Structures are given as C-alpha cells and as structure tokens.
Amino acid sequence: MSFDKVSKSIKEPNQLITPYHESTNYLRKLLVKIPKLNASTKAVFCRWLRYGFIEGVQAEVLPIGTVILTDWSSEVDSMIHELLDNEIATQVGNGYVEIPFMMTAADQLDLSLVCDGDDYSLINDGEVIYPSPLIMKVPHAKEVVEEPYDDLTRSVASIIRKFNYYLSGKIIHVGINVKSIGVMSTIVFRHPIDILVVTDTHYSIAHRVLDPNKTVHRGLSALEGYLMDGVDYAVLVHKYTHYEAHVETFNKIINRPYIMDSGFVLVPNDFDYMIFLKWPRANSLMRKSQSVVSKHSLINSALTFMINAR
C-alpha cells in the first residue's frame, strides 16, 4: 500500500473530534492481531501501548485516545504498513492513518497476554526517548472568545472544560486547587491538586500545573503524591518552553517506577490545544499497596456521593 505524503495538512479540529463509542470489539481484535505482528513491530508497538507515547510520527490524539498519524519518518514506515495490513490501523482521508483507542488500550487490556516481557523490560537502561507530540485540539464547536486568565492553572482548566470527554469518561466536574475530598472520611492530599477532573465513570484525574520558566521544580514529587493518595490518573502539565527541556522531564517520568504511570502534557501560549508527550496510565500502585487501595476507595465513595447529588 502506498501513501501520498504530499500536502498532509492538519485537518480542521471539528473533523477530528468524533463521538465516543464502544471500544470493546476493537480491543478484542487487538488481542488477536498483535501476536501476528513480526517481533520487531510488536516490540515497538507494545512499548507504545504500555507506556502511552509514540515516536517518529506527526500525530493528533482524540480525547478518547484514538491516534491519527498525519505523517511519519522512514524508520517507522514499514511498521505503519504492517499495522495496516493486520487491521490494527486503518487508512483514512488524505493518507492519514488512524489507530482507534490506542492510548486507552493498556488500561482495558491485559497486554501481558500478547506482549512479551514486563513493564520494566521495554526501555533499555540509559536510553533517551524523543516522544512525538500528540496534539489534542479544542473541539471546533467549543471554541469561544474569552479573556485569557493570568493564572496558568485556570487557563488550563478552561481548556479541559471545553472537552466533553476527557481521557476516561465524560467530564462532570473540574475543580481547582483541591486540597481534600470527602465529607465523613476526608482525604487530605499531601500535594494540593491544581486541577481535579471527575468523570461520569467515577475516575479522578489529578493535574499538577507548572511553568518551568518560573520555577526550578518539575512537579515529579507531586505526581508521586497524587498516585500514592489513590487518584486514578496523574498528569503533569508544563507551559511549553523548548522541546529538549520537556524531553528530559519525560524521560525522568518514564524511568521512575513510582511515577511512570503519569501523563505529561504541554500547553502553548495560545491555549487552544494540548500537547501530550505521554498519555496517563491507570494508577498501578493500587495493585501493590493496600494503603493506596484504601485511599482510592475513600475517593471513589466521595465521587459517588458527588455524582449522585448532582
């Protein structure tokens, strides 16, 4: 199959935002299709699935986790063709390639059934990864004219509110500077959550927002605190500075077991899109620590109360 690499301009945002639909059939197909890939393609694709990043491509990502490849390097060309040949990916308009629900697959599938090795064997010691930016644009219909916030956290929260669906479900609440949650049994977070997103699936998504130009801190300790406190997802948000600085932070996240589930997002000056360098993974500490499980249970109870009271 050949591709027309000419005029691969980015589609209008409203063309890329598709309604959320059930992913069960596609995910079941992945369990059948991945083992059919050759060893090198499977190794790379499994690494991308498990960690939530991608390399060597130009891409957009939808809030449901679908990745749309708009161009790619020659190094991954044969891999893209193999994903197409095995119906893991599909070709769409203008030569683009779509991989449905790619970024959410790891949280819904037991990848150990089809991918070799464990989570810690997929990245070599000393390896420096240069992740491809995954651009997630504000839906066209949600764009409004408003005064920008002076506060970075409020500006990012304003972007997130424009997405009906975000990472794990439909947004029902976006809170700022959340220090605790719960009424009868209160959890006080060791690091205040700059932006807490609650979805209709009862998931909690905690964001730490920083401008690296104004602080020497990266926000990594806050990510660990969020995960240890039992949130479902933790996301670091940096104001965009320059790519190399963000690559360094990305690699620190990838190489630290306690925060490797965290996501990493950049926001540009114009605040009309978000750039994911790493999609968050479900908090795996809940499989390892009873304390984290207990805290998560309290958070979930508080969220259930919040949702039912609406």
Side-chain angles (χ1 to χ4, degrees):
M1 181 181 295
S2 61
F3 291 90
D4 177 13
K5 294 291 189 71
V6 180
S7 301
K8 278 183 173 289
S9 58
I10 299 298
K11 288 185 177 181
E12 289 297 316
N14 59 311
Q15 290 180 274
L16 289 173
I17 301 301
T18 55
Y20 177 71
H21 58 279
E22 291 296 326
S23 60
T24 305
N25 290 337
Y26 174 77
L27 293 173
R28 287 175 179 166
K29 184 167 71 173
L30 275 183
L31 291 177
V32 176
K33 298 292 186 180
I34 289 177
K36 297 180 180 179
L37 299 172
N38 71 50
S40 58
T41 295
K42 185 170 75 168
V44 173
F45 189 61
C46 282
R47 181 166 88 156
W48 291 357
L49 290 178
R50 279 180 162 161
Y51 283 90
F53 69 91
I54 199 166
E55 303 161 279
V57 303
Q58 293 178 11
E60 300 211 6
V61 64
L62 306 188
I64 59 176
T66 291
V67 174
I68 299 172
L69 311 180
T70 58
D71 207 349
W72 49 89
S73 67
S74 58
E75 286 79 5
V76 298
D77 190 61
S78 61
M79 173 182 173
I80 303 302
H81 281 75
E82 189 172 353
L83 294 178
L84 285 163
D85 291 341
N86 284 276
E87 299 181 333
I88 290 173
T90 57
Q91 188 174 5
V92 292
N94 293 337
Y96 295 171
V97 168
E98 179 178 297
I99 308 176
F101 305 103
M102 175 179 174
M103 288 298 157
T104 54
D107 290 339
Q108 301 182 53
L109 293 176
D110 182 357
L111 292 177
S112 65
L113 297 175
V114 292
C115 294
D116 301 326
D118 57 37
D119 285 343
Y120 302 101
S121 67
L122 298 173
I123 292 180
N124 299 323
D125 292 340
E127 179 182 5
V128 177
I129 298 171
Y130 292 86
S132 296
L134 297 167
I135 298 173
M136 190 165 82
K137 294 188 176 182
V138 171
H140 182 70
K142 289 285 184 177
E143 291 179 330
V144 294
V145 177
E146 62 180 29
E147 292 297 321
Y149 292 107
D150 292 332
D151 183 276
L152 178 59
T153 296
R154 292 183 181 276
S155 296
V156 175
S158 176
I159 298 175
I160 293 174
R161 287 192 182 99
K162 294 173 185 177
F163 293 101
N164 289 330
Y165 187 100
Y166 182 68
L167 306 188
S168 67
K170 292 182 179 179
I171 296 174
I172 62 171
H173 176 74
V174 179
I176 295 175
N177 192 27
V178 178
K179 299 178 180 179
S180 63
I181 192 168
V183 180
M184 301 300 292
S185 300
T186 303
I187 290 181
V188 178
F189 298 110
R190 62 194 76 192
H191 296 275
I193 297 175
D194 291 331
I195 302 172
L196 177 65
V197 176
V198 179
T199 67
D200 65 342
T201 50
H202 296 208
Y203 283 125
S204 53
I205 309 168
H207 299 73
R208 178 69 170 122
V209 183
L210 289 174
D211 184 344
N213 288 320
K214 297 182 179 180
T215 178
V216 297
H217 301 288
R218 296 179 186 269
L220 304 184
S221 60
L223 293 179
E224 182 176 347
Y226 294 162
L227 294 170
M228 292 294 291
D229 283 339
V231 300
D232 292 289
Y233 296 95
V235 180
L236 178 63
V237 183
H238 276 188
K239 186 70 175 291
Y240 184 85
T241 55
H242 55 92
Y243 180 67
E244 289 295 331
H246 299 310
V247 165
E248 184 179 354
T249 299
F250 169 88
N251 280 277
K252 286 183 180 294
I253 293 173
I254 285 289
N255 286 287
R256 295 188 182 183
Y258 280 98
I259 61 172
M260 65 188 300
D261 292 331
S262 304
F264 185 32
V265 171
L266 312 178
V267 289
N269 290 325
D270 46 8
F271 291 109
D272 61 352
Y273 59 95
M274 301 170 71
I275 304 170
F276 280 82
L277 292 188
K278 184 180 184 301
W279 199 266
R281 291 285 168 253
N283 186 356
S284 64
L285 295 180
M286 285 186 277
R287 300 196 301 265
K288 306 169 185 176
S289 168
Q290 186 57 48
S291 172
V292 175
V293 170
S294 298
K295 293 175 181 178
H296 176 263
S297 179
L298 292 175
I299 292 174
N300 193 59
S301 296
L303 297 182
T304 300
F305 178 82
M306 175 194 300
I307 292 171
N308 291 337
R310 293 177 68 86

